[in-house]
Amino acid sequence: MSIRIHAKPFELLLKYPFSISGYSRKSTPLMLLELELDGLIGFGEASMVPYHGENPATASEFLSKVKLDWLQPPFNFDELRVYLDGLAPGNSNIKAAIDIALHDLQGKLDNKPCYTYFGSNPEHMPLTSITIGMDSPAVILQKVKDAEPAHILKVKLGGDEDKRLIETIRSVCDKPLFVDANQGWRDRTHALEMVHWLQEQGVLLIEQPLDKSNWDDNAWITEHSPIPILGDESIQRLADVDKAKGVYHGINIKLMKSAGMQEAFQMIKRARELDLKILIGCMSETSCATLAAAALAPLCDWADLDGPFLTKNNPFPNPKFKNGKWVLNNLPGLGVF
Ligand code: MG
């Protein structure tokens, strides 16, 4: 028997238009995957945020090249990664969908939850932040209210209204904050001034202060910052982790960047060897990719897995969320179904 691939495009609608430094959108195209073997189905998902270079057409084109008849359980995920990278160098989002679906399928074949494959302890699940995108003060206040289940908020900065936005949040809420500048700050002096001001506002960490390719100035900010500075756009796959050493205190790992769970796990191990901190993040995602990342989250320092909170037509049941954390269930596979 060989694995059958079913792929379905799906438009994931956002509760609020998603705005970051210099950019806004109302939905995100997904490719939902079902990989079928022996009557069991593994679910996977590619979230194709436009700035990442993948779209339904490129994902379908990549999928048309994928033949999984050589792959038999137990799946060798390293071999899979070499095979998929051999087909084309990019396409990390649809590669992630395949990797996630095969992990779900493997768990169902073994009757084991996916987190057990990584030595992940559900009791070590970190708090997950919920993101507050840039908006008018009235909408910001509504978003803070909507994010009530979270114990940490993540704020998107890098625009002209950064201080006003933080002050609006602080007028109603004293939860700790993560900040993501999304490469938006204009220079290192301005960025470091913001870092110090944000520390006084109860910010725990800051992602990507300056342009991803500006390694020197990002390193300078890290060297002078009293709080952790993390690389996100700078750090995509396993080969990038070593570049973060000396430039950032840590990295933001996302399954859509790392081409799936297996490589994200390798990135976590390498980051630990290099003494780098780890945030596990997401893009606009359903419960499927969220649970895949949550299976690895106990191995990380912080989590920003807010996809199901920010979208309004999640085709899967929402996972259980308690005390500001995702709860991993003991269903086989990802625990989606
Ligand atoms: Mg980020």
Side-chain angles (χ1 to χ4, degrees):
M1 288 272 277
S2 69
I3 297 165
R4 287 173 37 169
I5 305 175
H6 309 275
K8 187 176 81 170
F10 185 88
E11 198 68 20
L12 187 64
L13 305 177
L14 308 180
K15 281 186 186 158
Y16 297 95
F18 177 81
S19 301
I20 57 169
S21 176
Y23 165 84
S24 183
R25 69 173 192 279
K26 290 182 182 155
S27 65
T28 302
L30 306 183
M31 190 66 82
L32 298 178
L33 277 196
E34 294 184 10
L35 301 189
E36 194 183 336
L37 183 69
D38 295 343
L40 295 170
I41 294 174
F43 293 95
E45 165 185 5
S47 168
M48 298 174 288
V49 291
Y51 59 83
H52 213 236
E54 187 90 274
N55 59 54
T58 62
S60 296
E61 194 197 330
F62 183 81
L63 276 177
S64 71
K65 298 180 207 156
V66 177
K67 305 277 176 279
L68 295 178
D69 43 354
W70 58 275
L71 189 66
Q72 294 299 324
F75 306 132
N76 182 327
F77 286 96
D78 287 321
E79 222 178 317
L80 175 77
R81 186 168 48 148
V82 170
Y83 167 72
L84 294 177
D85 282 339
L87 296 177
N91 302 98
S92 66
N93 312 59
I94 193 66
K95 288 173 184 172
I98 296 166
D99 168 283
I100 292 168
L102 286 169
H103 275 93
D104 190 35
L105 187 56
Q106 186 68 61
K108 286 168 175 165
L109 289 164
D110 294 342
N111 205 23
K112 281 166 71 172
C114 281
Y115 68 81
T116 60
Y117 297 124
F118 306 103
S120 209
N121 180 350
E123 289 178 18
H124 295 163
M125 181 64 77
L127 294 166
T128 270
S129 58
I130 294 183
T131 297
I132 310 291
M134 289 174 175
D135 232 310
S136 66
V139 180
I140 293 287
L141 293 177
Q142 184 57 44
K143 287 180 175 178
V144 170
K145 218 169 171 183
D146 288 357
E148 192 273 324
H151 295 198
I152 302 177
L153 303 181
K154 176 165 150 175
V155 190
K156 296 283 193 181
L157 298 184
D160 300 329
E161 304 279 330
D162 287 354
K163 288 190 178 178
R164 178 189 63 75
L165 206 155
I166 295 288
E167 282 162 357
T168 302
I169 293 171
R170 280 288 172 254
S171 71
V172 291
C173 157
D174 61 1
K175 289 176 183 176
L177 304 176
F178 296 161
V179 157
D180 192 349
N182 282 114
Q183 319 179 66
W185 285 331
R186 61 178 179 270
D187 59 49
R188 70 184 200 176
T189 311
H190 166 65
L192 190 62
E193 189 189 293
M194 284 302 298
V195 168
H196 284 288
W197 185 81
L198 289 166
Q199 187 205 14
E200 290 165 19
Q201 304 298 316
V203 169
L204 302 182
L205 62 86
I206 297 176
E207 275 179 56
Q208 204 64 63
L210 298 177
D211 189 276
K212 62 185 176 185
S213 57
N214 190 345
W215 298 91
D216 290 349
D217 286 342
N218 279 308
W220 182 86
I221 296 164
T222 297
E223 193 188 327
H224 293 89
S225 172
I227 49 176
I229 304 293
L230 309 184
D232 181 2
E233 286 85 347
S234 291
I235 310 298
Q236 300 281 321
R237 296 195 60 175
L238 177 60
D240 299 320
V241 179
D242 282 53
K243 298 181 207 161
K245 186 69 184 169
V247 178
Y248 299 105
H249 294 111
I251 59 173
N252 182 341
I253 295 176
K254 295 175 183 163
L255 300 186
M256 296 300 138
K257 297 192 296 180
S258 70
M261 300 170 78
Q262 177 68 5
E263 188 159 323
F265 182 53
Q266 303 303 326
M267 291 176 80
I268 290 168
K269 287 196 288 187
R270 184 61 186 147
R272 290 302 184 208
E273 285 167 8
L274 295 169
D275 203 21
L276 291 166
K277 296 281 191 188
I278 306 163
L279 169 69
I280 188 156
C282 67
M283 296 183 175
S284 305
E285 293 170 3
T286 75
S287 304
C288 178
T290 300
L291 281 168
L296 294 161
L299 305 172
C300 304
D301 299 292
W302 308 286
D304 173 35
L305 303 175
D306 55 5
F309 288 104
L310 304 181
T311 51
K312 56 184 182 187
N313 60 340
N314 184 355
F316 301 101
N318 273 337
K320 191 172 171 192
F321 192 79
K322 199 178 164 197
N323 297 330
K325 300 174 183 183
W326 292 112
V327 179
L328 291 172
N329 62 46
N330 280 319
L331 292 171
L334 298 172
V336 179
F337 284 127

